[in-house]
Amino acid sequence: AGSVFQTAEALSLERVLAAVASPGDSGRVKAALATELFGLPGESLQAEGDPEAWGRHAVGFRDYHQLWRRAGFFAMFRRMAAREKMRSRLLGLPGGERRLTNLLHLAELLQQESMENHRGMIDLVRWLCAQRQGGDLSQEAHQLRLESDAAAVRILTVHRSKGLEFPIVFCPFLWNGTPVPDGPVVFHDP
């Protein structure tokens, strides 16, 4: 239970999107690089110590900014996630499957909001911030999703003897079947 906007991934994504929206702001870029989505260690962020590495990061955020302008939020998100290897980085962390599910869920909600309400970069970042700070937490679309279907309850329609291989089989209407004929019941076991 809970809202996906109340997760650490929502804060991380907000920082990353703020940096993409303002790629010239080194403070925002550093905040984005320090998130679990990019995973840069703190010492590499101090005072832009390595100008070559810092230049690559700055160029990367400018590229993401231009791609968002040209092709939209989701195209930028997909390229960033692939280029920065977010999937493997998150899956390598404790609770990685949960973190990745949250990130993908947030991206889906942001894309939907972007398309339905024609939100630009800054407006979409503000919307994400507003949701994190107490938006409508009761919306079903914002509720946390299962990170895996392994723990999900599966409901199947069972016909006759199929389904008896499952550890739990619930058959609520067995007594409504074929009526038993009057008279003695005969059984023979050779």
Side-chain angles (χ1 to χ4, degrees), residues 58-93:
V59 167
F61 275 91
R62 282 195 298 274
D63 289 347
Y64 297 141
H65 178 88
Q66 291 303 321
L67 182 59
W68 192 346
R69 276 197 185 291
R70 239 185 14 260
F73 165 76
F74 206 69
M76 180 278 303
F77 175 80
R78 287 185 57 201
R79 176 161 308 154
M80 180 177 19
R83 187 181 289 170
E84 306 301 336
K85 298 176 178 59
M86 290 181 184
R87 176 180 292 273
S88 60
R89 180 174 297 107
L90 290 176
L91 288 174
L93 297 172

Side-chain angles (χ1 to χ4, degrees), residues 10-78:
L11 175 60
S12 295
L13 188 56
E14 181 184 336
R15 288 180 178 162
V16 169
L17 296 183
V20 172
S22 303
D25 185 336
S26 64
R28 287 185 181 200
V29 172
K30 285 181 187 179
L33 293 172
T35 66
E36 62 189 11
L37 302 180
F38 281 81
L40 251 59
E43 55 272 0
S44 67
L45 297 174
Q46 291 178 352
E48 295 103 36
D50 181 0
E52 187 177 313
W54 180 254
R56 281 193 310 271
H57 294 306
V59 167
F61 275 91
R62 282 195 298 274
D63 289 347
Y64 297 141
H65 178 88
Q66 291 303 321
L67 182 59
W68 192 346
R69 276 197 185 291
R70 239 185 14 260
F73 165 76
F74 206 69
M76 180 278 303
F77 175 80
R78 287 185 57 201

